[in-house]
Amino acid sequence: MNLKQLIIAFLSPRYPAAYTEQSIALRLNASGLLDARVTAEDVADALRALHKLGMVDLKIDQLDNSAVWQVTQEGSKRWVLEGRMTVV
């Protein structure tokens, strides 16, 4: 699976929770599902591409004003179509 698919597989089962780019990168790297380690910048690039497709939304965490990402309804549909894989 590619990085974008894994991001959706991470975010979808956790909806409505939202995560920072760094948190997503840490979990994806820990999953062992990628061929190479990713950085928060790699994740940010993939999230921007997914955002353009309407699959994720950028939110601002009210507690600390950090930027966090959350799957959209379209992203959840894609997750279902791709077999509901989950990144733990």
Side-chain angles (χ1 to χ4, degrees):
M1 295 189 85
N2 67 41
L3 179 56
K4 290 180 221 164
Q5 290 170 316
L6 287 175
I7 289 171
I8 295 300
F10 172 75
L11 292 175
S12 289
R14 291 167 173 84
Y15 181 84
Y19 296 85
T20 64
E21 295 151 3
Q22 181 65 33
S23 295
I24 296 169
L26 288 171
R27 290 306 311 140
L28 295 182
N29 286 327
S31 75
L33 296 171
L34 292 167
D35 292 333
R37 293 188 64 79
V38 295
T39 65
E41 292 79 24
D42 297 329
V43 170
D45 290 342
L47 285 164
R48 284 191 289 274
L50 289 167
H51 187 270
K52 288 180 183 178
L53 297 171
M55 297 177 72
V56 296
D57 275 333
L58 177 64
K59 306 285 184 186
I60 302 300
D61 188 314
Q62 298 299 318
L63 296 175
D64 63 3
N65 288 329
S66 62
V68 293
W69 294 87
Q70 179 182 65
V71 72
T72 62
Q73 185 175 7
E74 184 60 35
S76 286
K77 284 181 189 176
R78 176 63 57 114
W79 176 64
V80 169
L81 291 173
E82 290 181 2
R84 292 188 171 133
M85 181 185 166
T86 301
V87 176
V88 270

